[in-house]
Amino acid sequence: MKRDVHVAVVGATGAVGQAMIDTLLRREFPFASLRLLASARSAGTVVEVRGQQITVEEATPDSFEGVDIALFSAGGDVSLRLAPEAVIRGALVIDNTSAYRMDPMVPLVVPEVNASDIFKNRGIIANPNCSTIQMMVALNPIHHVYGIRRIVVSTYQAASGAGQRAIDELKQTATAILAGEDPVAQVLPVSKLERHYPLAFNVLPQIDVFEENGYTKEEMKMVNETHKILGDSKIQVTPTAARVPVMYGHSEAIYVETERSFAVSDVKKLLASSPGVVLEDDPAHQLYPQPLRATGEFPVFVGRVRKDLFVDNGLSLWVVADNILKGAALNAVQIAEIWVRQEGNW
Ligand code: NAP
Ligand code: 3JM
């Protein structure tokens, strides 16, 4: 028998949380009630959803009483503190932060790749990092058929990946520079650090904090999460993650080496028929993926597919997706959809 599904969004006032609400509505997710949670700072804010006024509440352990699915995107500390409280109260947590991604007890899911892992959950399912998600959607079909042994990836990541304050800062620094004033930066590259740089008219080769090995945490997320999602820690992943002055949409220049040889035309056919992928690859008409075109869209766009000039089995591609949608909110909502369908509630 169908049961009502009660949903909570934690971080509902943020860039990802707002997109989660929109995505639930766009996909007609069958929620009976929606609880919007954030910090005490924005408790009391009223948000209109399906013509109903919903008041944002401060997230506390008791907020999860009667909640079936809790979508978390309020930072790792909030997830570490409140996700176990939600689970104790019977909710399935779909967590957008890095807090639980590498926990062996927590499935790390991109539905187009490893949807069946959803059913191995013990209360928490992790959503991968935005840069990993779009790379997995594009590379999993290639890995399946040709066997990927090496990935070299450079990212061109939008400001929105660092939250609402980073979006505002990109606008402010661009406006200041155009007015001939000194730009004031307080958020990027990482809001928790002391040193900041303007993003407008700039490129910052730092996303998240540096680790001892010289890579940033964002880069290491791409390495470790790729291994976990594809179930193969022998794949050699070499990432460089950079922030570019784009509002929405991450781009990635990806080079892979495969075990088995391929014809580019076959790779294009494969990608064109792969779930979640739109092949946008027509050099004759200057057609290729771009973040402005991908903004607000659900798919992962792939183009510039070409064979390496020097390395056998070397392939390059250009992969773009809306980082807030497929990179965060949509991926989480897709997981929730699969769960409610399996439970017979949709
Ligand atoms: P954001 O725009 O800065 O929003 C942060 C949200 O968290 C706001 O709703 C904020 O509420 C809430 N929040 C902050 N502290 C809180 C607390 N102590 N208790 C409850 N709520 C609290 O950031 P965002 O871009 O939406 O990202 C949010 C998180 O999602 C990130 O920190 C990251 O972990 C994750 N994320 C994941 C991906 C991904 O790749 N899957 C991508 C982007 C972000 P107030 O309005 O009350 O401040
Ligand atoms: C994307 O807890 C925090 O400070 C959040 C940092 C953050 C993350 C993360 O590590 O969860 C900001 C933006 C992510 C992410 O998806 O990995």
Side-chain angles (χ1 to χ4, degrees):
M1 200 184 73
K2 279 192 186 171
R3 282 198 316 117
D4 281 349
V5 182
H6 301 281
V7 174
V9 175
V10 188
T13 53
V16 176
Q18 291 283 307
M20 281 179 167
I21 300 167
D22 286 349
T23 304
L24 289 166
L25 295 174
R26 270 173 80 177
R27 294 175 70 90
E28 299 183 6
F29 187 91
F31 57 84
S33 72
L34 185 62
R35 198 166 286 175
L36 302 184
L37 305 169
S39 78
R41 284 182 298 275
S42 55
T45 313
V46 176
V47 179
E48 196 184 300
V49 179
R50 286 199 305 217
Q52 250 194 315
Q53 309 282 326
I54 303 182
T55 304
V56 176
E57 299 164 63
E58 181 181 358
T60 67
D62 289 337
S63 306
F64 300 98
E65 291 294 348
V67 169
D68 299 299
I69 297 180
L71 304 171
F72 273 71
S73 66
D77 294 346
V78 175
S79 291
L80 287 172
R81 185 162 54 84
L82 290 178
E85 300 287 351
V87 173
I88 286 169
R89 287 165 178 79
L92 172 72
V93 168
I94 303 172
D95 184 34
N96 255 280
T97 79
S98 57
Y100 298 100
R101 286 181 194 148
M102 298 317 296
D103 183 329
M105 295 302 173
V106 174
L108 182 64
V109 176
V110 178
E112 292 81 353
V113 179
N114 60 340
S116 60
D117 286 356
I118 290 171
F119 304 103
K120 297 179 188 155
N121 83 81
R122 298 186 178 194
I124 302 178
I125 298 169
N127 218 40
N129 178 262
C130 39
S131 299
T132 312
I133 292 176
Q134 67 184 70
M135 184 165 85
M136 292 299 95
V137 171
L139 294 191
N140 182 58
I142 298 171
H143 183 51
H144 207 70
V145 177
Y146 301 104
I148 290 176
R149 56 175 180 225
R150 178 155 195 242
I151 303 170
V152 181
V153 52
S154 297
T155 71
Y156 305 67
Q157 298 185 217
S160 53
Q164 192 55 50
R165 289 177 63 221
I167 297 172
D168 298 341
E169 179 162 290
L170 174 54
K171 288 181 194 158
Q172 280 156 16
T173 52
T175 307
I177 290 172
L178 288 172
E181 294 159 11
D182 279 342
V184 179
Q186 294 168 321
V187 177
L188 292 167
V190 178
S191 62
K192 286 175 185 161
L193 301 183
E194 272 175 26
R195 194 157 190 188
H196 301 290
Y197 304 106
L199 181 60
F201 305 100
N202 204 4
V203 173
L204 302 175
Q206 180 190 354
I207 299 186
D208 213 329
V209 296
F210 280 97
E211 300 208 334
E212 294 221 323
N213 63 6
Y215 288 80
T216 61
K217 215 170 146 190
E218 184 85 351
E219 290 161 350
M220 292 312 298
K221 288 172 194 172
M222 294 185 77
V223 177
N224 298 327
E225 294 175 18
T226 295
H227 289 166
K228 180 164 172 175
I229 295 162
L230 296 181
D232 183 352
S233 53
K234 289 201 298 296
I235 298 174
Q236 300 169 348
V237 186
T238 304
T240 303
R243 188 81 66 193
V244 295
V246 163
M247 286 293 176
Y248 296 95
H250 289 356
S251 305
E252 297 179 342
I254 303 177
Y255 166 77
V256 298
E257 286 172 14
T258 60
E259 274 156 27
R260 293 176 280 286
S261 62
F262 56 81
V264 169
S265 55
D266 289 339
V267 174
K268 286 191 189 180
K269 270 188 226 142
L270 173 67
L271 287 167
S273 64
S274 294
V277 173
V278 169
L279 184 71
E280 234 182 19
D281 195 359
D282 185 359
H285 295 96
Q286 293 178 207
L287 187 65
Y288 35 74
Q290 300 155 48
L292 267 184
R293 290 163 60 88
T295 300
E297 304 285 341
F298 286 153
V300 173
F301 298 89
V302 182
R304 302 293 324 278
V305 182
R306 61 213 191 273
K307 208 172 181 11
D308 193 84
L309 296 174
F310 303 96
V311 178
D312 288 343
N313 300 359
L315 178 82
S316 289
L317 17 102
W318 177 251
V319 176
V320 178
D322 186 319
N323 55 302
I324 298 294
L325 293 179
K326 184 55 189 167
L330 171 64
N331 199 73
V333 171
Q334 284 176 295
I335 293 170
E337 288 172 356
I338 292 167
W339 180 256
V340 294
R341 284 212 163 93
Q342 170 77 15
E343 297 265 288
N345 293 321
W346 193 3

